[in-house]
Amino acid sequence: MSLKGKRVIVTGAASGIGRATLLKVAALGARVAAFDVNDAEARRVVDEVTGAGGDCRYWHVDVVNEDEVRTTVDEASAWLGGAADVLLHLAGILKGARVDLATFPEATWDDVIDVNLKGSFLVSKHVAPAMQQAGAGVIVLTASGAGVTGGSSSYAYGSSKGGVHGLAMVLRANLAPYGVRVHDICPGNVVTPMKVSVIEKTLIDTGDQAAYEAEMAGLVRPEGIANVMAWLASDEAADVTGTIFTR
Ligand SMILES: NC(=O)c1ccc[n+]([C@@H]2O[C@H](COP(=O)([O-])OP(=O)(O)OC[C@H]3O[C@@H](n4cnc5c(N)ncnc54)[C@H](O)[C@@H]3O)[C@@H](O)[C@H]2O)c1
């Protein structure tokens, strides 16, 4: 499979699944604009990509800041040599794990809904029009089983990811007539800083070492999700639609 000639935006590219996705799509020949807020880590990944001969550039973008998203999508499109063919949107946060409903802080709720749901909306809003104009494109948002089939550790996180799933369904219906394919992916439990911090918090709260070890042993590698992301970005996935679950 090759992504040669594809212009791709990857958000959340500094860490975890986004990092693995950036490495994968660049290795397959895509030209990649990487977005994140963690400048130091993002620069390290981009250096790794370019050091290996990949074609990649980093932009600091806070996905909840519409001006920043708009400006950066424009700048990235100019650098990419045209509108993005593919958006792989992975930026996200998990806060409020194992916090009771009665004491769940409003600020935590707002933060998580903003980054995960509003961020998905803003990035899609500023990437999709050029795809519509081109009559082609792929948008992959990152939901989670946490918001689609249940089982989240956080009221805000589960709600935000249910919202992302809903947003992807609306985008899918509205953009399909323009030739833009929209998916949301629901990764299983993946060994990333986000997931590991929740499992470690559970261990601190419960002291249940056996449960901790079982959960850690059940995590899948970010590279497995990155493979799916890269395939969805490719023309080989042209006949696939809808929500993608991974183990
Ligand atoms: N790890 C899992 O088990 C799992 C399961 C289901 C879904 N997900 C989702 O996958 C995506 C990637 O998660 P991960 O586990 O790799 O987490 P991670 O914490 O390793 O990576 C998330 C990245 O998003 C970036 N980010 C956070 N807020 C941002 C903002 N406002 N603007 C721009 N970038 C921002 C972070 O700096 C980081 O690089 C997230 O959307 C997450 O909710 C993860």
Side-chain angles (χ1 to χ4, degrees):
M1 188 174 75
S2 169
L3 293 177
K4 265 208 177 345
K6 293 279 185 205
R7 299 182 289 256
V8 180
I9 294 175
V10 177
T11 76
S15 174
I17 306 170
R19 174 184 181 279
T21 298
L22 167 56
L23 291 169
K24 180 72 187 183
V25 298
L28 289 170
R31 173 166 248 215
V32 194
F35 294 179
D36 209 291
V37 285
N38 185 341
D39 299 340
E41 281 307 313
R43 292 216 161 91
R44 246 191 289 276
V45 187
V46 167
D47 284 350
E48 195 179 332
V49 170
T50 52
D55 192 6
C56 175
R57 192 175 146 187
Y58 171 63
W59 279 265
H60 176 105
V61 189
D62 183 345
V63 296
V64 304
N65 181 327
E66 180 158 21
D67 284 343
E68 220 168 280
V69 171
R70 181 193 304 110
T71 310
T72 312
V73 167
D74 286 351
E75 277 179 25
S77 302
W79 175 78
L80 286 165
D85 302 300
V86 181
L87 166 66
L88 304 174
H89 176 58
L90 286 136
I93 56 171
L94 198 173
K95 291 184 182 173
R98 301 178 57 79
V99 177
D100 285 341
L101 179 60
T103 56
F104 202 97
E106 184 182 357
T108 304
W109 173 271
D110 288 346
D111 235 22
V112 173
I113 299 291
D114 260 12
V115 173
N116 293 355
L117 183 50
K118 181 172 151 182
S120 298
F121 159 68
L122 289 177
V123 176
S124 302
K125 174 179 170 181
H126 290 287
V127 167
M131 291 181 175
Q132 287 175 267
Q133 210 168 3
V138 178
I139 293 176
V140 184
L141 303 183
T142 308
S144 170
V148 178
T149 54
S152 185
S153 58
S154 159
Y155 285 99
Y157 184 77
S159 305
S160 72
K161 293 299 181 176
V164 171
H165 176 62
L167 172 64
M169 287 196 289
V170 180
L171 287 170
R172 187 178 307 147
N174 288 328
L175 298 184
Y178 296 92
V180 180
R181 173 160 56 84
V182 181
H183 302 280
D184 61 312
I185 185 162
C186 295
N189 294 320
V190 188
V191 58
T192 68
M194 176 189 285
K195 187 67 190 176
V196 170
S197 67
V198 173
I199 299 172
E200 285 172 347
K201 181 175 190 313
T202 307
L203 174 63
I204 291 163
D205 290 352
T206 64
D208 188 340
Q209 184 71 29
Y212 167 80
E213 283 170 16
E215 227 187 318
M216 289 296 288
L219 298 179
V220 302
R221 296 170 315 119
E223 289 75 13
I225 317 303
N227 289 343
V228 178
M229 285 288 189
W231 182 70
L232 289 173
S234 78
D235 297 336
E236 289 185 14
D239 296 324
V240 177
T241 182
T243 304
I244 312 293
F245 289 87
T246 72
R247 79 184 172 87

